[in-house]
Amino acid sequence: MAGMNDTPNPRTHIDALRERMGQAIIGQRDVIERLLIGLLANGNLLVEGLPGLAKTRAIKAMAKNLESDFSRIQFTPDLLPSDVTGTDVYYQTEKGGEFRFEAGPIFANIVLADEINRAPAKVQAALLEAMEERQVTVGGTTHKMAPLFMVMATQNPVEQEGTYALPEAQLDRFLMHVLITYPPVEDEVEVVRLVRAEEIAAQSKAKGEKTAPIPQQAIFDARSQIGGIHVSDAIDRYFADLVQATRTPEAYGDDLRRWIEVGASPRASIALDKCSRTHAWLSGRDYVDPEDVRAIAPDVLRHRLGLTYEAHGEGISADQVIAEILMQVALP
């Protein structure tokens, strides 16, 4: 890539991470790319899909192949905030009693928050505060998260009984909302074969060659390069125009006016910039073009739109609304 020869090139490491994840996750290339974008853009992801579509597997495949500490939190209705963040524990010592902070599972590099919508609002808020501030305060003491810190939360779009929907203000803190769909038939055949081979290997206790994990420094080096990706004034305006269209839908046609009740916040513009630059870097370019923006716009915007009752009544999805916005807003 032009203008990047003077800095260590982490591309080989990132390509290796993508390839290893692809070996564990069949037919979900777009999902793998979105997970990498979230990691490289230093953001947190909300991953949604039906049971059995490899949401957890995809996230574990990333953590397994990266030099990182991984933790999984299974969200349940009886979970407490301290179960996530940790708490002060009283210890009796020779010098007397003292409180020590016992870190919770949130203190890891990659955190899988499984079925986040099954925990009550107080627990969700504790997690999202750590995501936003990159720190946890317990007993008046602030505890910083690691430099490499990423939360990937999953939720099931179908089972809503006994769940606690995330408020819009908290949804807005996720960089992207990634959807995982059913794989094509050909890929499903490969999934069956992959799982069968893994079971046979586990039963025979076969020891394959262990490959070294991707170093964390490669992520930080990649982020430095992504920071240098060129974004033209026209692309900056395109970010703003797309977000503005969600706030003034009446200016872009009767359909959008009927469908959108609440538009996206400035966080959406910032996320479009971060994700577009990362998408361009992963594509091997040192500049952002409109196709980078259009590629990631659905993931950035789908959880930030408030649709009207009329849109819900007509069966209009957020993705259909975003597709209309991309058609109506002029390209730079």
Side-chain angles (χ1 to χ4, degrees):
M1 288 170 55
M4 295 188 178
N5 296 328
D6 297 331
T7 58
N9 188 359
R11 181 168 301 280
T12 302
H13 287 303
I14 303 305
D15 287 344
L17 178 58
R18 174 159 40 187
E19 181 180 353
R20 293 182 196 178
M21 291 175 66
Q23 292 171 356
I25 310 297
I26 304 296
Q28 298 285 8
R29 297 176 188 87
D30 288 344
V31 172
I32 291 171
E33 184 175 71
R34 296 307 183 264
L35 294 185
L36 288 174
I37 289 175
L39 178 68
L40 295 175
N42 198 18
N44 303 291
L45 303 184
L46 178 63
V47 184
E48 183 174 308
L50 294 169
L53 294 185
K55 299 186 296 296
T56 301
R57 185 183 178 95
I59 295 165
K60 284 185 174 180
M62 170 181 281
K64 177 184 176 182
N65 291 291
L66 185 63
E67 182 186 58
S68 63
D69 293 324
F70 172 75
S71 71
R72 176 181 181 272
I73 309 171
Q74 180 64 55
F75 277 62
T76 56
D78 61 347
L79 205 66
L80 298 174
S82 58
D83 295 329
V84 174
T85 61
T87 187
D88 285 331
V89 178
Y90 183 79
Y91 285 89
Q92 186 67 42
T93 66
E94 294 179 358
K95 297 180 181 180
E98 65 178 21
F99 282 95
R100 299 177 193 167
F101 178 67
E102 295 286 342
I106 192 68
F107 286 89
N109 299 123
I110 296 180
V111 179
L112 169 58
D114 222 351
E115 296 189 289
I116 187 174
N117 56 337
R118 293 211 174 276
K122 186 177 290 188
V123 179
Q124 293 175 0
L127 173 72
L128 293 163
E129 180 183 6
M131 287 166 41
E132 184 78 3
E133 306 296 333
R134 302 299 172 101
Q135 64 184 32
V136 169
T137 302
V138 176
T141 302
T142 298
H143 306 273
K144 297 285 186 180
M145 319 304 293
L148 180 63
F149 174 69
M150 179 183 187
V151 172
M152 287 183 273
T154 70
Q155 68 178 14
N156 184 337
V158 175
E159 295 181 28
Q160 297 303 324
E161 185 176 349
T163 62
Y164 303 81
L166 287 167
E168 285 75 6
Q170 294 182 356
L171 281 172
D172 198 26
R173 298 185 187 184
F174 287 100
L175 182 73
M176 292 192 294
H177 179 188
V178 181
L179 296 183
I180 298 184
T181 57
Y182 288 120
V185 173
E186 296 79 6
D187 288 338
E188 189 142 357
V189 171
E190 293 302 317
V191 169
V192 172
R193 291 171 178 166
L194 172 65
V195 174
R196 181 193 302 143
E198 290 176 345
E199 289 176 350
I200 293 172
Q203 290 170 3
S204 63
K205 297 183 180 179
K207 294 184 178 179
E209 293 184 10
K210 289 188 176 181
T211 54
I214 305 302
Q216 285 190 20
Q217 189 58 45
I219 306 302
F220 301 133
D221 291 343
R223 288 176 180 175
S224 295
Q225 291 188 358
I226 290 166
I229 295 289
H230 175 69
V231 185
S232 68
D233 292 343
I235 293 292
D236 278 341
R237 181 56 188 257
Y238 190 43
F239 298 149
D241 285 344
L242 288 173
V243 176
Q244 187 64 21
T246 70
R247 302 171 188 162
T248 58
E250 65 278 359
Y252 294 89
D254 289 339
D255 284 340
L256 288 177
R257 177 186 58 79
R258 291 187 300 106
W259 294 341
I260 299 177
E261 183 173 14
V262 180
S265 77
R267 280 197 184 108
S269 300
I270 295 169
L272 285 171
D273 173 49
K274 287 183 177 181
C275 295
S276 296
R277 283 187 283 115
T278 306
H279 189 275
W281 186 87
L282 287 171
S283 301
R285 282 180 282 101
D286 59 0
Y287 63 92
V288 174
D289 71 16
E291 288 309 309
D292 293 313
V293 186
R294 294 170 67 85
I296 54 85
D299 302 280
V300 169
L301 294 175
R302 67 166 55 99
H303 59 302
R304 292 184 161 99
L305 297 182
L307 303 187
T308 63
Y309 285 114
E310 191 171 354
H312 289 298
E314 294 178 15
I316 301 297
S317 68
D319 281 15
Q320 289 173 283
V321 175
I322 295 165
E324 182 68 16
I325 289 172
L326 291 172
M327 286 181 58
Q328 294 297 332
V329 175
L331 288 168

